[in-house]
Amino acid sequence: MTRGCYIGRFQPFHNGHLSMVEAIVEDDHVDELVLGIGSADASHTRHDPFTAGERIMMLTKSLVDLDLVTYAVPIEDLDRNSVWVSHVQSMSPDFDVAYSNNPLVIQLFEEAGVEVRQSPMFNREVLEGSEVRERMIKDGNWESLVPDPVVDTIEEIDGIERIQRVSETDSNGI
């Protein structure tokens, strides 16, 4: 049995993340997957609008039909990169391989002796959390960029109103 670990902020979980999970399952034949919810302590900001619990809902509902055992694990931020991997390992079930395309994450896992596999980016110019959030703020078409269960979750929590409100400023243009 092989268990992988894929860490992301998932703000929100979008179709690029879903494609990555599907590729991990299909290409690497992982039996189980730990989904590390990065920046779990952050929420209610333009950069991190959703709570860890809301992101767990998004992931769980989006992946329910995959033939894969998943574990969603909140991972709070540490501002000490040298101990970050041990922090991740202390918060999650044991895993055999980590998945990331983030250069810092790759470096930290490799320095800790953890095998890291990368995957192709999926339509990265559009399927990026910042693009999805920007469309939410501007009342653009964000729904086509995320799985349907994510749309449902964001509607349930009034996520659009939240991100629009926390993105407002009270400055006079300065």
Side-chain angles (χ1 to χ4, degrees), residues 14 122-132 135 141 144-145:
H14 56 67
F122 300 94
N123 198 8
R124 181 67 171 168
E125 59 281 351
V126 176
L127 293 178
E128 186 173 46
S130 58
E131 174 68 21
V132 177
R135 290 184 184 197
N141 175 14
S144 65
L145 305 179

Side-chain angles (χ1 to χ4, degrees), residues 40 47 68 99 149:
H47 188 251
L68 178 70
Y99 292 87

Side-chain angles (χ1 to χ4, degrees), residues 19-37:
S19 294
M20 176 87 164
V21 171
E22 291 171 342
I24 290 169
V25 173
E26 293 170 16
D27 299 341
D28 285 351
H29 309 293
V30 170
D31 303 296
E32 297 182 348
L33 185 63
V34 176
L35 293 152
I37 312 294

